[in-house]
């Protein structure tokens, strides 16, 4: 018997899971690179500056750039988690590969397409392969942590999973 979808439940579980998965991704990046995932003039810093310009008519103060970049990272990961939670309520295929399929899709759709299109980074071809591999690995960790937390919180599971 098919279980009825509960999108609001998916949003709540996905939001919490997205926050935790964002932390896991950042911890992975910090551990692998020995520094914050937001070091330098990253896309999250640029996005924080743009948001600040729209909301306050000025860029983020230099002393606040790291915190603002992390806020963008966590807000993005949390919002993506909410979407993932809803997707899992609507179709069990959303959790393919224990969330790594979603993580890979985030790499392509966000890092490779959206961020460069918004002018928050250079074109993907401007970066070495190891940068892409690091981004993919980071988002695979995000996806697996997202799915693990979603299941821990009682999210919908695939039939037979």
């Amino acid at each position: 018997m098919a279980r009825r979808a509960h999108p609001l439940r998916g949003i709540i579980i996905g939001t919490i899971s997205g926050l935790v998965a964002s932390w896991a991704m950042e911890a992975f990046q910090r551990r692998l690179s020995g520094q914050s995932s937001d070091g330098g003039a990253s896309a999250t810093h640029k996005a924080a500056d743009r948001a600040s310009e729209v909301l306050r008519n000025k860029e983020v103060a230099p002393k606040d750039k790291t915190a603002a970049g992390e806020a963008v990272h966590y807000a993005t990961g949390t919002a993506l988690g909410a979407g993932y939670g809803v997707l899992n309520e609507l179709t069990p295929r959303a959790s393919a590969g224990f969330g790594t399929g979603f993580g890979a899709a985030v790499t392509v759709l966000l890092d490779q397409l959206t961020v460069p299109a918004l002018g928050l980074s250079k074109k993907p071809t401007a970066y070495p392969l190891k940068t892409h591999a690091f981004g993919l690995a980071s988002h695979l960790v995000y996806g697996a942590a997202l799915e693990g937390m979603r299941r821990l919180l009682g999210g919908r599971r695939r039939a037979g999973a």
Side-chain angles (χ1 to χ4, degrees):
M1 182 169 110
R3 203 174 113 194
R4 188 168 172 244
H6 296 283
L8 181 57
R9 176 184 171 89
I11 288 172
I12 294 167
I13 289 174
T15 297
I16 295 165
S17 299
L19 183 63
V20 171
S22 295
W23 174 84
M25 179 178 161
E26 185 175 8
F28 169 80
Q29 290 175 330
R30 194 177 316 116
R31 178 86 167 178
L32 214 61
S33 69
Q35 63 182 1
S36 169
S37 60
D38 253 344
S42 71
T44 57
H45 290 135
K46 291 177 184 177
D49 276 336
R50 285 211 186 147
S52 182
E53 286 170 358
V54 168
L55 297 171
R56 305 174 337 143
N57 281 337
K58 60 182 178 180
E59 286 188 357
V60 175
K63 68 180 180 62
D64 298 327
K65 289 238 189 234
T66 298
E70 285 189 16
V72 168
H73 167 73
Y74 279 93
T76 302
T78 300
L80 287 168
Y84 180 74
V86 171
L87 280 174
N88 273 281
E89 283 295 318
L90 301 175
T91 178
R93 286 184 234 158
S95 63
F98 199 82
T100 59
F102 184 79
V106 168
T107 298
V108 172
L109 297 174
L110 196 63
D111 283 0
Q112 303 296 315
L113 297 174
T114 305
V115 171
L118 293 174
L120 299 174
S121 73
K122 299 175 200 169
K123 292 181 179 181
T125 55
Y127 297 98
L129 183 58
K130 75 176 194 173
T131 300
H132 296 287
F134 183 73
L136 176 59
S138 297
H139 285 104
L140 294 177
V141 167
Y142 170 81
L146 183 63
E147 178 61 14
M149 190 67 193
R150 190 188 68 79
R151 286 190 186 192
L152 184 67
L153 294 175
R156 174 186 288 260
R157 291 190 184 195
R158 294 190 329 207

